[in-house]
Amino acid sequence: MEPDQDGPEPDEEAPTPPAPPAPSGIDLARTMLAQARADAKSKGIRAGQRKAVRRGDVSGQPRSGSHPDDRDPQPLGRAVERLVAERGWETEVAVGGVIGRWDLIVGAEVAAHCAPETYADTVLTVRADSTAWATQVRLLAPALVARLNAECGDGSVTSVHVLGPGRPSWRKGALHVRGRGPRDTYG
């Protein structure tokens, strides 16, 4: 008997082609890229469209890219200005600047004899080194208020309270005798 020309004999098995080797290197990268493109296409994302998200960022905010952003390092002056604006310290900062430039605002002669002490509720308290200078500054108070409002902004200083020099304490030590004390007036 002759073997059939139609197919192999039942006793013999047909040789199976060897399985292709698993992709590696560049072939693996191409396969993964093709798979990623197919996944993106099925989700409706076009080629070249990116949705980059920072690692660990659960809010899904996109990256800032090359343009400036609030997360970039900021100059110290800009950060301080933002802090002052957020806290509402504009008036206090302006008055602090005036106190720092006191001698330029009131003049060197007046600044040599009086100095600002406190600022609270639009009232600036100034202490003079003698009663004569305290009287002089009281007379200059309306002009001083106008000048301070020009520097700080309108309404930031409504009045100037002038204090005379502090009087000395005659109490020395823990024990003392009550009485009139010295017969001189101070202030």
Side-chain angles (χ1 to χ4, degrees):
M1 281 189 145
E2 285 188 16
D4 267 331
Q5 307 272 332
D6 295 325
E9 289 185 25
D11 293 357
E12 290 182 24
E13 290 184 20
T16 59
S24 65
I26 192 78
D27 294 328
L28 178 62
R30 285 184 181 144
T31 305
M32 296 298 289
L33 180 61
Q35 182 64 37
R37 285 182 177 161
D39 291 344
K41 190 173 185 179
S42 68
K43 291 180 183 177
I45 299 175
R46 295 187 313 260
Q49 180 182 6
R50 293 183 180 166
K51 186 178 178 186
V53 178
R54 291 182 287 156
R55 287 186 184 172
D57 188 9
V58 293
S59 66
Q61 293 179 342
R63 292 185 182 210
S64 65
S66 61
H67 59 279
D69 193 1
D70 285 341
R71 295 173 292 180
D72 293 339
Q74 301 290 324
L76 182 62
R78 191 178 309 156
V80 170
E81 286 173 2
R82 187 178 342 167
L83 177 68
V84 167
E86 286 174 358
R87 303 287 173 126
W89 295 339
E90 290 90 1
T91 303
E92 289 82 2
V93 169
V95 171
V98 165
I99 290 173
R101 298 184 327 253
W102 180 254
D103 58 340
L104 298 173
I105 293 171
V106 298
E109 188 177 0
V110 175
H113 296 285
C114 68
E117 281 196 350
T118 61
Y119 172 79
D121 299 327
T122 70
V123 176
L124 181 67
T125 304
V126 177
R127 182 165 305 270
D129 61 358
S130 69
T131 55
W133 274 103
T135 303
Q136 186 68 23
V137 173
R138 282 187 193 106
L139 293 173
L140 294 172
L144 187 58
V145 168
R147 173 77 180 184
L148 291 172
N149 282 329
E151 291 285 329
C152 301
D154 288 333
S156 58
V157 178
T158 56
S159 66
V160 176
H161 183 69
V162 182
L163 303 175
R167 59 184 175 169
S169 172
W170 295 99
R171 291 186 174 185
K172 308 284 190 235
L175 302 174
H176 64 278
V177 177
R178 291 190 66 166
R180 286 181 55 195
R183 305 295 182 264
D184 196 2
T185 59
Y186 296 93

